[in-house]
Amino acid sequence: MIQRTPVRIEARDTSHLSDQSSCPPENQSWQTILSQSLSTPEQLLERLNLPANRWLEGAKSGHKLFQIRVPEPFIRRMEPGNPNDPLLRQVLPITDETVELPGFVRDPLEENTAIQTTGLIRKYHSRALLMVTGQCAINCRYCFRRHFPYGEHKLSRDDRHKIIATLNASPEINEVILSGGDPLAVNDRLLSQWVDLLDAVPHLKRLRIHSRLPVVIPQRVCDDMLAWLNRTRLQKVLVVHVNHPAEIDQATREAFARLKQAGVTLLNQSVILKGVNDNAVTLSELSEVLFDVGVLPYYLHAFDPVAGAHHFDVSDADAASLLRQLLERLPGFLVPKLVREVPGETSKTPIPVF
């Protein structure tokens, strides 16, 4: 069975909860919210008032391949009773996930061939990607790393020293990207230690963090996190992952505002997903909302052909058509770059729009 590295906080059964829990997320720590994430198809369907006789069989078959994990703040932005809700579609398993199609593979970006040492991936000249954890706050059904062998890349203390030694011996690297999983699923004590180690590598200039947590659990942007962000000498960039404007609520806005106050540059990358955001109206609104909350649209990724997620696929021709429509609707600085990651290439590959 494909699954993330198990979280250290055990998930609590919340299937009995009503739409409004007695202790709302805004009054809870991010760790508590993460621990109470829904983790079974039955919980998710009941929570959103969807009939089990129609959706449970498919949800259970997909769940066996890649387990459900959905935190409460994200669920609260969904429309109960609507199986086509664009946020729900990103997290609800369906029978299509069990269908194998040619060209949809377990490692679509061939990352296993780019691993330089345990936890460190080198695909680009000046950047290195550090796989801090295999844990995520939410398991997106289209994830290109849904089959990644996280269990083989758990970082020991010795691995940490090897990574820092590799970075010290690589003066061409000026940026480290914290990734995963989701690096912000790790506690702030450990992240603070990592940042201190990276600070001491003299040729590093930037710390980039790729995370969905400030979106799906805005409470993650807490005082402890802001403390190590404020302390580092490195330029700070946080690339969040928002696919639909409905993912941004008031709590998310407040989290982004706190990050901006801490001197963090905020960028967004989205994935074009069939049935979620594959229309110009949605993508235009997304760019406008992002800019309103201080986040600059950065990348719009063509779908990575990962096994189990072919039902989200949008052709490059259709993606290019969407970008042409965005260019007509938006100022240039709000139009994200349409790209595909091609294994072996030394940068993201732009998809021709005209």
Side-chain angles (χ1 to χ4, degrees), residues 90-306:
Q90 297 179 55
V91 297
L92 178 66
I94 60 176
T95 306
D96 284 350
E97 296 186 25
T98 65
V99 178
E100 296 184 10
L101 290 182
F104 291 84
V105 297
R106 296 171 63 89
D107 184 14
L109 305 187
E110 298 180 8
E111 290 188 317
N112 281 323
T113 63
I115 296 172
Q116 182 162 350
T117 187
T118 300
L120 194 68
I121 294 179
R122 289 287 308 276
K123 293 191 286 187
Y124 307 126
H125 175 73
S126 63
R127 286 96 70 204
L129 189 144
L130 178 54
M131 306 284 286
V132 176
T133 180
Q135 180 181 333
C136 275
I138 188 167
N139 284 354
C140 303
R141 310 312 301 176
Y142 54 87
C143 180
F144 70 88
R145 290 193 184 124
R146 58 182 282 164
H147 304 286
F148 191 85
Y150 288 104
E152 300 173 13
H153 298 277
K154 295 180 181 179
L155 298 180
S156 66
R157 186 179 297 273
D158 286 343
D159 292 326
R160 195 184 313 178
H161 293 318
K162 291 177 182 177
I163 287 170
I164 297 301
T166 298
L167 293 174
N168 274 312
S170 306
E172 71 279 8
I173 298 176
N174 60 24
E175 178 177 326
V176 168
I177 303 168
L178 300 187
S179 186
D182 193 314
L184 294 185
V186 173
N187 67 71
D188 287 303
R189 177 187 56 80
L190 182 56
L191 288 173
S192 178
Q193 292 173 0
W194 268 115
V195 171
D196 287 345
L197 291 169
L198 295 173
D199 266 350
V201 179
H203 48 270
L204 289 183
K205 295 169 55 178
R206 288 184 300 275
L207 174 69
R208 195 193 325 174
I209 303 168
H210 285 193
S211 178
R212 196 138 156 77
L213 251 158
V215 179
V216 300
I217 303 180
Q219 294 78 3
R220 179 62 184 93
V221 183
C222 59
D223 291 345
D224 288 341
M225 175 182 170
L226 294 171
W228 56 262
L229 281 172
N230 277 309
R231 190 179 69 246
T232 179
R233 68 166 179 85
L234 300 169
Q235 295 174 311
K236 298 157 292 198
V237 180
L238 175 60
V239 182
V240 294
H241 179 178
V242 184
N243 293 317
H244 194 280
E247 296 179 36
I248 298 176
D249 63 359
Q250 184 57 35
T252 313
R253 291 171 180 266
E254 293 171 1
F256 289 159
R258 298 190 76 190
L259 289 164
K260 293 285 285 185
Q261 290 171 359
V264 180
T265 298
L266 296 175
L267 306 174
N268 181 65
Q269 57 181 354
S270 304
V271 182
I272 300 181
L273 300 169
K274 186 176 181 179
V276 174
N277 60 7
D278 57 331
N279 65 85
V281 173
T282 297
L283 291 175
S284 295
E285 183 182 352
L286 175 59
S287 284
E288 293 282 6
V289 170
L290 285 168
F291 193 68
D292 284 346
V293 298
V295 182
L296 192 65
Y298 173 44
Y299 275 148
L300 182 59
H301 287 271
F303 182 76
D304 294 314
V306 61

Side-chain angles (χ1 to χ4, degrees), residues 7 9 11 34 37-39 67-71 91 136-139:
V7 295
I9 309 171
L34 178 60
S37 297
L38 300 193
S39 57
Q67 293 184 345
I68 284 177
R69 177 167 296 281
V70 195
V91 297
C136 275
I138 188 167
N139 284 354

